[in-house]
Amino acid sequence: MATKMLQFVKTAGEMPSKRTAEIRRQDWLEVYGPYVRQKAEEQSSRCSQCGVPFCQVHCPLQNNIPDWLKLTAEGRLEEAYEISSATNSMPEICGRICPQDRLCEGNCVIEQSGHGAVTIGSIEKYITDTAWAEGWVKPPVPLRERGQSVGIIGAGPAGIAAAEQLRRLGYQVHLYDRYDRVGGLLIYGIPSFKLEKEIVARRAQWLADAGITLHLNFEIGRDATLQELRSRHDAVLIATGVYKARDFQAPGSGLKGIVAALDYLTASNRTGLGDDVPGFADGTLNAAGKRVVVIGGGDTAMDCVRTAVRQGAVSVKCLYRRNRANMPGSQREVQNAEEEGVEFVWQAAPEAFLGDAAVTGVRAHSIHLGVADATGRQSPVVIEGSAHTIEADLVVKALGFDPEDLPTLFDAPGLPVTKWGTVRVDHKTMMTAVEGIFAAGDIVRGASLVVWAIRDGRDAAAAIHSHLAAAIARNGAAVPAVAAE
C-alpha cells in the first residue's frame, strides 16, 4: 500500500534510540540502536522526493536515495535493498560510518529549509541489516564464467568493491592482502563502536562464497613482486590504501608513550577480536589509567579519543590547532566524544613533549586564526607567550596518512608515482603507465572517505572490464557479453 511522502511538514526527524554516554563508555557496542519497521517507514516518508535530489548529487556513489526512501516508506524493503545495493557495494557499512552530515543529509533539501534532514544513513543501515537477516543478500552468480583473471592488491573498501563488480561480470578474481583478515581499515582502523567487526567479517565471507579467492598474509614484494603478480593475471589493480602515518618532529618526540594513531587503534581492535597483542598487554598501546592527549582533528582523532575513554583513561583531551568550525572530522563524532567525557583543547598546537624516559606532558602554544587561504580555511598563527603544559602519560598522534613507498615495497621501480607518493594513473582509464596495472582508492586520491574508495573501486572494475574486452576484440575473438546480476 502506497504511503504518502513529504511528511516532513508534520513529522519531525528522529534518529534511532541513542544509548546514554554512561553506558557507551563501558562497552564497544554501536552508539545507535536499530530502527523498528514502523519508525523506519515513518522517517522515510519525510522525504520530499525532490526533482533534483541534492542528497544523491552529494553522495560519491550517486545512490538513488529518494527511490529507496519511497520504497521503504511503502514497506517494500526487498525492493529498497535492490535499489540501494545496485550502486553501493557495502551499504550496511556506509550507513554506519559515512559522515552523512557532510554529504547526503547535510545537503538534504528539507534540512536546508529548516525542517531537519531525513535520517538517510540510519535508514540505509536498517534496509541492509534487514536484507541480511531475511537472506536477501546473496553472493553474485555471473551469467557466464570468463577465463580471464584479475588480481587485486588490498582487501579494503576499494579492493572489495572492485572484486564484487568484477566477479559479477564473471572474471576469476584473486584478492591479496598483507593482513590476516579482509577489510583493511574497516577491520583494524575503525573501532567497533562505529562498526562492529561481525559486519565486516560477514561481508568477507560473502566474498568467499561468491567464488573470490582470498590470499591473506600475502605481501607484495615479499611473497611476489608486482611484475610476478602481473604475469599471473590478465590485469592487476592496486588498491592498498594509505597507511604511512604523518608525523611532525618536536623536542621529546622519541619519548616512550608517544604513539601513532593507527598502531593504537589496530592494537585495540585486534585485542577486541581476541588476538594476542604484546603492545597492548604491556600497556604501551593501552590507555587504561592514563592521562591521554590526542593530537589531531579528523575522524581518526575522534576514533582515538573515544577508544581511550572505553579503555579506562583517567582523562582524555583532544588537541587541535583550529576551532570546531574548521574541524575536518564529523561534527556528530565530536558531539559523541564530548558526551562521553572528552575535553577539546581548541586552537592549541604542540611544540614539545616533556619527560625523561617517558612522556609526562605536552607543551603547547595557543593559536590565533588569521586570514583565510585559497580553500577558505583560516591560517593558524602562533600567539607569542602563550605556551602552556598539558599533562599526559600517553600521546597519540592522529595527523592523517600518506602513501607508502610502493615502488620500493613492491620491487617495482617502474611504477609511476606523483610527488605526493600516490600512484599516477590516467584518470580516464585508471591504468598506470605499466600496461595492465590499474590503481584506485586512497592510493590514487590520497587519504579520503570509505565511500569514495568504494566509488573508485567500482569505477576501476568498469575500466578493467573495458580494457580486457578491448584486448579480446583486438585479438580477433568475440567480445564476451556483460553478465547481469
Side-chain angles (χ1 to χ4, degrees):
M1 178 177 171
T3 298
K4 289 184 178 180
M5 304 299 286
L6 287 79
Q7 296 301 301
F8 66 89
V9 294
K10 62 180 183 181
T11 301
E14 186 179 342
M15 291 286 288
S17 59
K18 187 176 186 179
R19 301 190 307 127
T20 66
E22 290 74 19
I23 294 175
R24 299 199 313 256
R25 289 168 60 97
Q26 307 303 319
D27 62 38
W28 298 87
L29 301 179
E30 293 178 4
V31 172
Y32 292 97
Y35 272 135
V36 295
R37 180 165 187 157
Q38 179 182 2
K39 186 61 68 174
E41 293 176 0
E42 173 198 87
Q43 291 300 304
S44 297
S45 72
R46 297 183 67 246
C47 176
S48 61
Q49 296 288 288
C50 306
V52 180
F54 291 126
C55 58
Q56 181 175 354
V57 170
H58 288 273
C59 171
L61 288 165
Q62 300 287 285
N63 284 334
N64 298 308
I65 297 168
D67 291 350
W68 50 255
L69 286 175
K70 188 173 189 298
L71 290 167
T72 302
E74 294 173 352
R76 299 160 63 186
L77 279 181
E78 188 168 3
E79 293 168 87
Y81 167 70
E82 292 297 333
I83 296 294
S84 173
S85 61
T87 55
N88 191 346
S89 300
M90 292 177 280
E92 74 278 18
I93 290 174
C94 288
R96 287 170 161 84
I97 65 173
C98 263
Q100 289 95 4
D101 55 334
R102 304 202 322 253
L103 299 174
C104 54
E105 294 179 18
N107 292 280
C108 175
V109 168
I110 64 172
E111 166 72 11
Q112 304 305 317
S113 65
H115 291 86
V118 177
T119 53
I120 296 168
S122 296
I123 295 167
E124 181 179 41
K125 170 186 169 184
Y126 168 77
I127 292 169
T128 318
D129 284 354
T130 302
W132 280 101
E134 295 293 330
W136 302 335
V137 186
K138 296 181 174 62
V141 179
L143 288 182
R144 57 167 297 176
E145 294 288 348
R146 299 173 187 267
Q148 296 157 297
S149 72
V150 179
I152 299 175
I153 306 170
I160 291 172
E164 178 229 359
Q165 291 294 293
L166 289 165
R167 185 66 194 123
R168 288 185 187 279
L169 293 167
Y171 292 100
Q172 310 309 305
V173 180
H174 293 254
L175 193 55
Y176 299 86
D177 200 277
R178 60 183 169 183
Y179 296 112
D180 57 342
R181 293 181 177 92
V182 170
L185 290 179
L186 298 177
I187 196 78
Y188 289 136
I190 299 174
S192 293
F193 53 78
K194 286 175 62 176
L195 177 61
E196 293 179 1
K197 301 312 165 192
E198 293 80 0
I199 304 297
V200 184
R202 183 176 63 187
R203 182 59 73 172
Q205 183 59 51
W206 181 88
L207 293 172
D209 292 344
I212 295 168
T213 305
L214 304 178
H215 302 266
L216 301 179
N217 291 310
F218 191 105
E219 191 166 338
I220 310 302
R222 182 193 67 191
D223 299 303
T225 66
L226 181 61
Q227 190 55 47
E228 288 171 345
L229 202 68
R230 175 67 182 89
S231 68
R232 299 178 190 179
H233 301 288
D234 296 280
V236 170
L237 173 65
I238 301 172
T240 56
V242 291
Y243 283 85
K244 180 183 175 183
R246 288 180 188 159
D247 200 0
F248 72 95
Q249 292 302 313
S253 291
L255 291 171
K256 182 180 178 181
I258 302 174
V259 301
L262 189 56
D263 293 342
Y264 175 65
L265 293 172
T266 299
S268 177
N269 282 315
R270 279 192 174 278
T271 300
L273 288 163
D275 293 352
D276 180 22
V277 183
F280 185 88
D282 66 19
T284 303
L285 298 170
N286 186 353
K290 296 178 181 178
R291 299 164 298 178
V292 178
V293 172
V294 175
I295 302 171
D299 289 332
T300 300
M302 297 305 99
D303 292 344
C304 290
V305 294
R306 298 181 65 203
T307 293
V309 166
R310 285 158 176 77
Q311 288 180 345
V314 172
S315 65
V316 183
K317 295 181 180 180
C318 181
L319 198 65
Y320 182 56
R321 64 178 182 165
R322 290 188 168 92
N323 58 16
R324 183 173 189 143
N326 281 279
M327 276 191 99
S330 167
Q331 289 299 313
R332 282 184 187 168
E333 288 300 299
V334 176
Q335 179 184 348
N336 288 336
E338 287 179 326
E339 291 172 356
E340 292 166 9
V342 175
E343 178 185 345
F344 285 85
V345 184
W346 305 111
Q347 294 179 228
E351 62 178 12
F353 302 102
L354 309 178
D356 294 326
V359 68
T360 59
V362 179
R363 188 168 69 235
H365 46 237
S366 299
I367 295 292
H368 166 70
L369 293 179
V371 179
D373 61 17
T375 67
R377 298 185 80 194
Q378 292 173 278
S379 301
V381 180
V382 174
I383 299 175
E384 294 296 330
S386 64
H388 56 283
T389 298
I390 303 171
E391 295 180 335
D393 307 305
L394 175 64
V395 176
V396 182
K397 294 180 179 179
L399 305 171
F401 304 98
D402 286 323
E404 296 165 285
D405 182 3
L406 290 194
T408 299
L409 285 178
F410 288 1
D411 191 17
L415 181 68
V417 296
T418 68
K419 63 181 180 181
W420 299 283
T422 53
V423 175
R424 187 186 299 278
V425 299
D426 179 335
H427 289 281
K428 291 182 180 179
T429 64
M430 302 188 77
M431 189 162 65
T432 70
V434 184
E435 194 277 334
I437 296 182
F438 298 74
D442 287 3
I443 196 59
V444 173
R445 71 166 60 242
S448 189
L449 301 173
V450 166
V451 66
W452 273 114
I454 295 172
R455 167 66 184 270
D456 293 344
R458 292 171 69 95
D459 287 350
I464 290 169
H465 173 60
S466 295
H467 173 76
L468 294 180
I472 290 178
R474 284 195 303 271
N475 294 333
V479 178
V482 175
E485 294 183 18

